[in-house]
Amino acid sequence: MDLIIAKDYLDLSRRACRIIASEIKKKPDLVLGLATGSTPLGTYQELVRLYREEGLDFSQVVTFNLDEYYGLSKDNPQSYHYYMYENFFKHVNVKPENIHIPDGTATDVEAVCRKYDEEIARYGGIDLQLLGIGNNGHIGFNEPGDELLTVTHMTELTDDTIRANSRFFNSIDEVPRKAITMGLGTIMQAKKIVLLASGKNKAGIMAELLDENAVSTKNPASFLLLHKDVTVIVDEEAASLLKK
Ligand code: PGA
């Protein structure tokens, strides 16, 4: 695991953007796994900047998002579909047919999940997966628990996550209780992973992840310790409790 300590959020975002841009230049039809939340926003802004100023070309890039709230339609401003279009897709030349995000309004969830995994496999798996991390160690919506599922699935959000994500909603009661998420297996099969953590409220989980040399379903991100090509980019605040 490579650890990069960035000076601040802008530096973290630029470094993440540089890694993604360099992979796209090496492989223009990169299969790119994407994340939502506050953390990758700066990375998306930087990628948009490179598209505008340097012609970084997304025309062959294929994207797969990690997750989507269950019950929110694509045009709901809290949905991850909406987030991705507003913050990234509508500003670059990714082809709509190359964009994949789980359908939060699906009635046959099992079929949608199987199809999602099949599509990822059809493209030969994810080349580069961008990840944030929850305060509780979740990646995607793979929440801490007694077991972690390997494949794309419907999951219940933990109280920690509902509380953390309520900042994006008018009230905590509006936060969906369920989501569809890629499983740990799909994430771990990505050829390359970039995990971002920014701010003081991520310092505790980053210390747990990077100082403890142990994997546990109680900290889903800890499985990344078993992956051969993970780059962790933290800013100084998120690194503030690291011992090593
Ligand atoms: P955040 O969320 O980027 O909004 O902190 C990260 C996550 O929950 O995975």
Side-chain angles (χ1 to χ4, degrees):
M1 187 173 271
D2 287 336
L3 175 65
I4 297 173
I5 301 184
K7 195 161 55 62
D8 53 23
Y9 181 67
L10 181 62
D11 187 29
L12 170 148
S13 303
R14 289 200 167 142
R15 287 168 184 267
C17 169
R18 239 177 277 144
I19 294 172
I20 296 168
S22 123
E23 293 301 311
I24 293 173
K25 282 176 195 156
K26 275 191 252 168
K27 184 175 187 277
D29 58 348
L30 194 77
V31 182
L32 182 56
L34 295 173
T36 50
S38 313
T39 315
L41 277 175
T43 307
Y44 294 137
Q45 279 162 13
E46 286 299 307
L47 285 168
V48 169
R49 195 176 62 75
L50 285 198
Y51 166 72
R52 288 191 181 139
E53 293 176 8
E54 297 176 22
L56 180 64
D57 182 18
F58 294 90
S59 63
Q60 295 179 62
V61 170
V62 175
T63 69
F64 283 93
N65 265 78
L66 280 170
D67 47 19
E68 176 60 286
Y69 286 118
Y70 186 63
L72 298 194
S73 63
K74 293 177 186 170
D75 54 2
N76 184 316
Q78 314 294 354
S79 73
Y80 289 160
H81 275 81
Y82 195 91
Y83 169 109
M84 287 309 303
Y85 279 90
E86 285 304 308
N87 294 304
F88 187 46
F89 294 143
K90 78 174 190 190
H91 306 288
V92 295
N93 65 336
V94 182
K95 292 209 177 91
E97 62 268 32
N98 287 343
I99 294 170
H100 304 82
I101 306 176
D103 179 2
T105 59
T107 41
D108 190 346
V109 172
E110 185 54 30
V112 161
C113 292
R114 292 297 61 77
K115 188 158 172 271
Y116 206 65
D117 287 330
E118 280 163 22
E119 279 284 282
I120 294 172
R122 196 165 68 80
Y123 282 103
I126 289 167
D127 292 311
L128 170 58
Q129 177 67 55
L130 183 64
L131 292 178
I133 182 170
N135 298 327
N136 63 0
H138 75 199
I139 48 178
F141 275 127
N142 293 280
E143 299 280 34
D146 293 333
E147 62 176 18
L148 294 168
L149 296 186
T150 54
V151 294
T152 300
H153 60 282
M154 171 98 100
T155 185
E156 307 253 340
L157 307 191
T158 59
D159 290 342
D160 278 345
T161 297
I162 291 168
R163 216 174 306 117
N165 289 10
S166 66
R167 68 190 195 280
F168 299 112
F169 292 80
N170 292 324
S171 85
I172 195 161
D173 298 332
E174 286 181 16
V175 185
R177 270 33 187 180
K178 291 181 178 178
I180 296 175
T181 182
M182 266 185 211
L184 247 291
T186 311
I187 295 172
M188 288 293 287
Q189 280 159 24
K191 292 168 193 102
K192 187 176 186 68
I193 295 177
V194 174
L195 175 91
L196 308 179
S198 165
K200 278 203 191 77
N201 69 339
K202 297 290 166 67
I205 190 66
M206 291 317 289
E208 200 180 304
L209 175 65
L210 297 170
D211 287 333
E212 282 184 14
N213 299 322
V215 298
S216 161
T217 59
K218 304 282 185 281
N219 179 4
S222 66
F223 283 82
L224 299 174
L225 297 169
L226 304 174
H227 193 281
K228 279 210 217 86
D229 189 351
V230 179
T231 302
V232 175
I233 312 179
V234 287
D235 59 15
E236 285 180 1
E237 287 188 355
S240 58
L241 294 177
L242 296 183
K243 291 193 202 81
K244 283 184 194 159

